[in-house]
Amino acid sequence: MPLEHHPLNREFPQHHDALRQLMQSDPHFPRLAEEYEALDKRIYEIEDGREAADDLILQGLKLQRVGLKDEIAELLRKAGGA
């Protein structure tokens, strides 16, 4: 299975405008997005072998990413992007 990043603009392509709006209007949203992107990058580097981590750590990171993604999806829904 090929490795791939999961950036927010690819995870929520139908919400491009809402993503941009929240980045500018909600002071909490850019921090969430930055945390999500950093976590996604770390997961990619572990899966690619550039960073060492056992499967339990990797699974924990993936669960954190899902949690952040769910939180971001809820903010997008509330912003009218759904």
Side-chain angles (χ1 to χ4, degrees):
M1 181 167 94
L3 297 176
E4 63 180 59
H5 287 284
H6 296 269
L8 290 175
N9 60 358
R10 189 181 317 161
E11 293 296 305
F12 300 104
Q14 70 279 22
H15 301 301
H16 183 66
D17 291 336
L19 280 167
R20 188 175 323 133
Q21 177 205 4
L22 284 169
M23 290 294 272
Q24 296 172 355
S25 65
D26 182 340
H28 178 65
F29 192 82
R31 287 190 297 266
L32 277 178
E34 185 178 317
E35 186 178 348
Y36 176 91
E37 298 291 346
L39 199 52
D40 183 57
K41 181 181 178 189
R42 184 163 181 220
I43 291 167
Y44 182 87
E45 289 175 353
I46 291 170
E47 290 178 332
D48 194 38
R50 290 186 252 166
E51 183 180 330
D54 64 29
D55 288 343
L56 191 58
I57 291 172
L58 181 59
Q59 281 305 111
L61 293 171
K62 287 182 176 183
L63 286 173
Q64 286 178 31
R65 181 175 63 186
V66 167
L68 284 170
K69 184 178 173 185
D70 287 346
E71 189 173 349
I72 289 167
E74 179 65 15
L75 289 171
L76 287 169
R77 185 190 67 74
K78 287 179 181 177

